[in-house]
């Protein structure tokens, strides 16, 4: 079977920040195998102002600079002239909180753009005109959207077919069924008297599956009861 690679275009003033997450381990392998293409675009190259400025003072006054619409518009329009995009995402602390459900949905798309904000954020007209999805990675403020974008990319890329060696392993992750993962063990079966639960050594697969499900439920009730309330995810 042939898979078209997913394509992720990242618009940023700090493309160098977007290099190392894709230069090692699973993400690097996914790129090397041609399962995903990640392209970073230096927003400053789309500025026509001196010193390649991409921000300006707020109308109405107030502290903090705002990213201007012109370079962002030029960059997005250029990308859109080259291919169709399924989603144009803006990383922002006031977006919808990222979760596994959003990652699953994004992993089905062919082309996405991720815009990384800085300073106070972008001119509202960028959001109104271009952005189709706004994502936050949590209720805290980063110095820019790049680290958040790399988290989204990591979460999405590992879901793409062929990226993980064991095709089923992404499906058994924590959160895939709104449950945390059960406890896991490996050798030795007895470490200084701390023993692995007997059932896991029994070879009885159905019993093991039941035990794992019970443990997952118990752990979720203890640590993340909110997941069981069915209020999470889209
Ligand atoms: N940019 C700054 N803080 C962020 C957050 N929490 N999530 C996404 N983008 C951000």
């Amino acid at each position: 079977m042939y898979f078209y690679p997913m394509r992720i275009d990242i618009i940023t003033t700090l493309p160098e920040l977007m290099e190392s997450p894709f230069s090692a381990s699973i993400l690097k392998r996914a790129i090397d195998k041609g399962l995903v293409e990640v392209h970073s675009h230096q927003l400053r190259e789309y500025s026509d102002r001196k010193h390649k400025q991409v921000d300006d003072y707020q109308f109405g006054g107030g502290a903090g600079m705002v990213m201007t619409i012109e370079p962002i518009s030029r960059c997005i329009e250029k990308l859109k002239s080259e291919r169709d995009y399924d989603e144009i995402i803006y990383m922002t602390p006031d977006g919808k909180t990222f979760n596994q459900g959003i990652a699953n949905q994004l992993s089905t798309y062919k082309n996405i753009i991720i815009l990384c904000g800085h300073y106070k954020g972008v001119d509202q007209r960028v959001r109104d005109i271009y952005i189709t999805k706004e994502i936050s990675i949590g209720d805290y403020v980063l110095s820019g959207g790049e680290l958040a974008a790399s988290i989204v990319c990591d979460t999405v890329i590992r879901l793409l077919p062929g990226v993980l060696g064991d095709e089923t392993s992404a499906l058994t992750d924590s959160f895939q069924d709104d449950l945390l993962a059960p406890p896991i063990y490996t050798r030795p079966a007895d470490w200084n008297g701390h023993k692995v639960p007997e059932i896991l050594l029994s070879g009885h697969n159905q019993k093991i599956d039941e035990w794992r499900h019970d443990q997952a439920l118990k752990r979720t009730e203890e640590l993340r009861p909110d997941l069981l309330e069915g209020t999470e995810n889209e």
Side-chain angles (χ1 to χ4, degrees):
M1 206 187 315
Y2 179 75
F3 296 104
Y4 288 98
M6 180 181 189
R7 179 179 170 119
I8 305 175
D9 288 283
I10 301 168
I11 303 175
T12 168
T13 53
L14 295 168
E16 64 272 28
L17 260 189
M18 303 311 298
E19 282 168 20
S20 80
F22 302 101
S23 309
S25 189
I26 289 172
L27 302 196
K28 177 177 192 305
R29 220 173 331 126
I31 292 168
D32 290 348
K33 276 170 132 180
L35 301 171
V36 63
E37 287 180 24
V38 182
H39 300 270
S40 289
H41 305 274
Q42 170 55 271
L43 183 61
R44 293 189 191 284
E45 287 173 13
Y46 296 84
S47 169
D48 59 2
R49 296 168 60 192
K50 61 176 178 191
H51 311 307
K52 300 283 178 200
Q53 211 179 325
V54 294
D55 61 343
D56 214 326
Y57 296 99
Q58 282 190 58
F59 279 127
M65 303 293 274
V66 178
M67 290 172 76
T68 58
I69 192 167
E70 290 103 330
I72 296 173
S73 166
R74 274 186 214 112
C75 185
I76 291 178
E77 291 293 354
K78 175 171 180 286
L79 290 171
K80 284 189 7 172
S81 74
E82 292 163 352
R83 68 195 63 75
D84 290 332
Y85 284 91
D86 300 294
E87 207 86 86
I88 303 181
I89 299 164
Y90 174 47
M91 301 308 305
T92 175
D94 54 13
K96 188 171 165 57
T97 308
F98 190 52
N99 61 25
Q100 193 65 48
I102 297 174
N104 291 347
Q105 184 190 36
L106 295 180
S107 75
T108 66
Y109 293 152
K110 181 159 163 43
N111 301 314
I112 62 173
I113 293 174
I114 304 181
L115 171 65
C116 303
H118 267 268
Y119 320 110
K120 277 277 173 204
V122 297
D123 187 302
Q124 180 59 37
R125 289 167 292 184
V126 171
R127 300 169 75 156
D128 295 343
I129 296 166
Y130 290 111
I131 300 301
T132 60
K133 200 177 202 66
E134 302 187 329
I135 296 179
S136 164
I137 61 159
D139 289 343
Y140 41 83
V141 180
L142 299 162
S143 56
E146 284 77 8
L147 296 181
S150 59
I151 284 170
V152 169
C153 289
D154 184 301
T155 315
V156 169
I157 291 170
R158 64 189 291 287
L159 294 171
L160 299 176
V163 169
L164 295 184
D166 174 357
E167 286 285 353
T168 64
S169 69
L171 293 174
T172 57
D173 287 339
S174 280
F175 303 113
Q176 276 299 4
D177 48 9
D178 278 347
L179 291 181
L180 301 184
I184 51 172
Y185 298 88
T186 185
R187 282 182 285 196
D190 182 339
W191 185 76
N192 295 345
H194 298 274
K195 293 193 177 131
V196 169
E198 204 68 49
I199 179 83
L200 294 176
L201 311 175
S202 70
H204 196 308
N205 288 335
Q206 196 191 327
K207 287 239 165 72
I208 291 174
D209 282 349
E210 282 165 20
W211 181 86
R212 285 184 170 149
H213 185 71
D214 288 350
Q215 291 289 317
L217 257 178
K218 207 169 132 207
R219 200 176 243 199
T220 311
E221 274 162 7
E222 257 171 48
L223 302 175
R224 291 293 307 276
D226 56 300
L227 292 178
L228 299 171
E229 283 156 21
T231 51
E232 284 273 318
N233 298 335
E234 323 186 85

